[in-house]
Amino acid sequence: MTASIIDPERAAAIDFSNDERARYSRHLIMPEVTLAGQRRLKAARVLCIGAGGLGSPSALYLAAAGVGTLGLVDNDRVELSNLQRQLLHGTSDVGRPKLESARDRLAAVNPNVQVQLHPARFASDNAQEIVADYDIVVDGSDNFPTRYLSSDVCVWARKPNIYGSVFRFDGQTTVFGPHLGGPCYRCLFPEPPPAGSVPNCAEAGVLGVLPGIIGTMQAIEAIKLIVGQGETLLGRLLHFDALKMKFREFKLRRDPECPVCGDHPSIMEPIDYEFFCGSHAADEAQDEADTIPEISVTELKSRMDAGEPLTLIDVREDYEYEIARIDGAHLLPLGQLRDRMEEIPRNGDVVIHCHSGMRSAHAVQLLQQAGYRNAANLIGGIDAWSREIDPTVPRY
Ligand SMILES: [Zn+2]
């Protein structure tokens, strides 16, 4: 059984108004919570990293549950494409800082909660100072540098770190806490994946409901650690496949050789996480990219306007072509390029585009390997075209 991570003296000093007793009555009558557990919740200080897909459900439910202090770190603004899953923000919030809409929404859910805003990117130079004020970290970040950083900082500060990640129909969550007998993020992933090998939500997509489920489970784990009930996911990774509607569980162990939480740690303070997670690989990719001819959207537009003959190839998928297209582009999805290469002329200029320029760079490389010398990559893809040239082309 889990022991509460909240200092008993702090919890004992907590009192409730009659309104609060009514608000939390469904908790108070649960033998696993009671007034004692609710006091721990009100005494608790939880930090949510990110006010996005995972941070939205965790923060909303933790606020509703009566967590006394909720910290939020984020420095993004609300975009239209966030609203499909980030329920802290509404349509009228588009363009506002996420922390402002989050603060308003959480105050509407439960005005008894102290919401502390950290309008910054969670980074090596502020992470330890921010985490120091909290009992638990709920990591709702969507990138590897932040996950390594938040895990490392929690190991050093001896605070549980509740991990969550989502990808299309798949999600996973666990609780990291070497001081509680579990592993840390580095025990699981000693090395980050090669830069660019794992697409994020913007590149790969995510079912909007999925972070709702994973983020809600992160909130449950936080509540169990605070109240001191049940068995947490410490030492277990829970994987959820929404397409099959199946949960699977994997055992995790602390690695005694882990450079952060192991028996002989070699990393004792924040490192350069961007570098660790691939700026080196990104440099290599840049060297490769340097050999790929490129064209900007403005240059393409002026050449098209001048009536210059050129072939525009769109290597996105057909369902992306349905959403938005550049007039005159010929659709040839990247996966079919090898088999349909003869459709691309070897003479005259060929411009290849995709959504943001990554897949099309790869396509130009494939063409170069096949002897093509006339293909160039459209920098920024159709997204740049929509932003800079033709706003009637929908962004996605
Ligand atoms: Zn470790």
Side-chain angles (χ1 to χ4, degrees):
M1 196 167 102
T2 302
S4 171
I5 57 156
I6 303 299
D7 172 17
E9 277 185 31
R10 242 168 70 201
I14 297 287
D15 203 5
F16 294 102
S17 66
N18 284 348
D19 274 358
E20 286 176 292
R21 285 167 200 257
R23 176 184 285 270
Y24 305 127
S25 61
R26 300 301 184 274
H27 276 167
L28 303 182
I29 57 175
M30 286 171 70
E32 295 84 357
V33 184
T34 70
L35 202 57
Q38 197 66 44
R39 277 198 193 97
R40 290 176 183 143
L41 283 168
K42 190 172 174 181
R45 308 168 63 88
V46 180
L47 177 68
C48 292
I49 298 178
L54 293 167
S56 286
S58 351
L60 283 166
Y61 272 107
L62 289 171
V67 163
T69 305
L70 207 50
L72 296 172
V73 201
D74 202 301
N75 70 339
D76 285 343
R77 284 176 186 271
V78 180
E79 292 185 30
L80 204 52
S81 62
N82 298 150
L83 303 182
Q84 160 254 27
R85 62 197 180 285
Q86 303 185 10
L87 301 192
L88 273 175
H89 321 293
T91 307
S92 60
D93 295 317
V94 170
R96 290 178 82 195
K98 284 188 181 176
L99 288 194
E100 287 184 15
S101 47
R103 177 200 56 207
D104 294 351
R105 180 82 187 100
L106 293 171
V109 169
N110 188 349
N112 302 294
V113 178
Q114 302 278 339
V115 178
Q116 292 187 345
L117 305 181
H118 304 276
R121 218 173 72 82
F122 191 71
S124 290
D125 58 2
N126 61 15
Q128 286 175 296
E129 202 184 324
I130 294 175
V131 165
D133 281 343
Y134 297 91
D135 302 306
I136 303 186
V137 171
V138 175
D139 189 346
S141 64
D142 61 354
N143 64 83
F144 294 101
T146 310
R147 288 191 192 127
Y148 279 102
L149 171 63
S150 92
S151 170
D152 288 358
V153 168
C154 284
V155 172
W156 296 320
R158 298 176 64 79
K159 293 179 180 172
N161 181 297
I162 305 175
Y163 162 85
S165 74
V166 289
F167 179 83
R168 294 184 174 160
F169 284 95
D170 291 275
Q172 48 193 20
T173 176
T174 185
V175 174
F176 296 124
H179 66 294
L180 302 173
C184 79
Y185 185 63
R186 278 183 195 264
C187 297
L188 217 66
F189 303 109
E191 298 286 335
S197 67
V198 180
N200 60 26
C201 288
E203 290 155 354
V206 62
L207 186 74
V209 183
L210 189 71
I213 291 168
I214 300 294
T216 306
M217 291 201 288
Q218 289 177 283
I220 290 178
E221 292 303 284
I223 289 173
K224 278 153 59 185
L225 284 161
I226 293 164
V227 172
Q229 286 289 342
E231 287 167 40
T232 68
L233 283 173
L234 194 74
R236 295 184 290 148
L237 181 81
L238 187 67
H239 176 267
F240 173 52
D241 178 340
L243 265 187
K244 295 197 178 118
M245 201 49 88
K246 274 190 176 158
F247 286 92
R248 289 176 67 197
E249 201 178 293
F250 302 89
K251 276 223 169 334
L252 305 178
R253 280 188 189 82
R254 189 177 74 92
D255 176 5
E257 303 297 318
C258 174
V260 173
C261 80
D263 298 338
H264 308 285
S266 55
I267 303 172
M268 332 278 276
E269 57 181 37
I271 58 168
D272 181 342
Y273 292 85
E274 301 289 340
F275 181 81
F276 175 63
C277 291
S279 65
H280 178 60
D283 285 347
E284 277 176 11
Q286 188 56 46
D287 287 347
E288 252 175 40
D290 287 346
T291 66
I292 295 174
E294 291 180 330
I295 178 171
S296 69
V297 287
T298 25
E299 194 185 340
L300 175 63
K301 170 78 165 115
S302 63
R303 291 180 61 176
M304 285 166 85
D305 286 349
E308 287 185 33
L310 58 83
T311 309
L312 183 58
I313 304 284
D314 180 350
V315 293
R316 297 173 304 149
E317 301 299 320
D318 49 7
Y319 50 81
E320 296 179 87
Y321 190 77
E322 287 292 320
I323 302 169
R325 68 189 74 169
I326 300 176
D327 277 341
H330 175 68
L331 181 68
L332 207 175
L334 183 59
Q336 301 172 24
L337 184 61
R338 284 178 202 276
D339 295 334
R340 294 174 52 191
M341 216 172 258
E342 74 282 0
E343 292 175 32
I344 299 177
R346 287 185 178 266
N347 299 311
D349 287 340
V350 173
V351 175
I352 314 279
H353 88 81
C354 63
H355 184 235
S356 59
M358 295 285 284
R359 279 173 287 173
S360 48
H362 186 56
V364 172
Q365 256 181 332
L366 290 175
L367 289 170
Q368 284 180 330
Q369 286 160 13
Y372 282 81
R373 293 286 170 265
N374 57 338
N377 181 29
L378 183 66
I379 304 164
I382 194 173
D383 198 47
W385 183 266
S386 170
R387 275 184 283 117
E388 296 171 33
I389 306 295
D390 183 1
T392 67
V393 173
R395 291 186 69 196
Y396 66 97

